[in-house]
Amino acid sequence: MTLALDHIQIAIPKGGEDLCRAFWGDLIGLREIAKPKPLQARGGLWFALAGSELHLGVEHPFAPAQKAHPGFRTSNIAALAARFETAGHALTWDVAMEGRKRFFATDPFGNRLEFLQDNDPVSSF
């Protein structure tokens, strides 16, 4: 048996779709994908990742995830960090993991996010 990540879901508050588009689409550069028709009435939206999907689902009442978090691997962490800094979006670098460059940030609703890149350029996707 083999397992692979199909998607991750991050909770957002009702009405947060426009902020998600600005953050995940405009700032980070993900491509929005259509939700299946039977799920559209629930709100939220989806984005394509390399080999999987990011689902942003409405949760009520909403509470941001401040410890649990997804880790997004990138092929160019310096460029991604520059986008955050240019947009005035706070990030915190962390050097606790040898062999990886990484930073933590939050989405517009306070959900914790991790972005990382292996130091070995051969292992980048």
Side-chain angles (χ1 to χ4, degrees):
M1 178 172 66
T2 303
L3 292 177
L5 184 64
D6 179 78
H7 70 275
I8 60 166
Q9 180 159 314
I10 297 175
I12 65 169
K14 183 176 181 178
E17 290 85 356
D18 287 343
L19 285 175
C20 287
R21 284 184 180 98
F23 181 79
W24 293 103
D26 299 339
L27 175 65
I28 296 179
L30 297 182
R31 179 179 56 86
E32 186 174 347
I33 56 177
K35 288 180 68 171
K37 277 225 180 273
L39 303 180
Q40 290 177 4
R42 298 178 184 177
L45 62 160
W46 294 4
F47 288 92
L49 298 171
S52 62
E53 298 172 355
L54 170 62
H55 296 181
L56 302 163
V58 173
E59 184 172 79
H60 183 76
F62 170 76
Q66 297 178 344
K67 177 66 176 171
H69 64 278
F72 296 98
R73 187 174 50 177
T74 178
S75 60
N76 191 338
I77 199 158
L80 184 58
R83 286 179 169 185
F84 272 72
E85 291 167 349
T86 298
H89 198 92
L91 61 88
T92 303
W93 287 99
D94 184 280
V95 296
M97 293 177 60
E98 187 175 327
R100 287 186 160 183
K101 296 175 187 166
R102 69 182 185 156
F103 67 83
F104 289 93
T106 60
D107 71 5
F109 313 109
N111 289 306
R112 186 177 192 211
L113 307 170
E114 178 181 0
F115 298 91
L116 58 141
Q117 177 182 2
D118 291 338
N119 286 341
D120 178 5
V122 175
S123 64
S124 293
F125 57 99

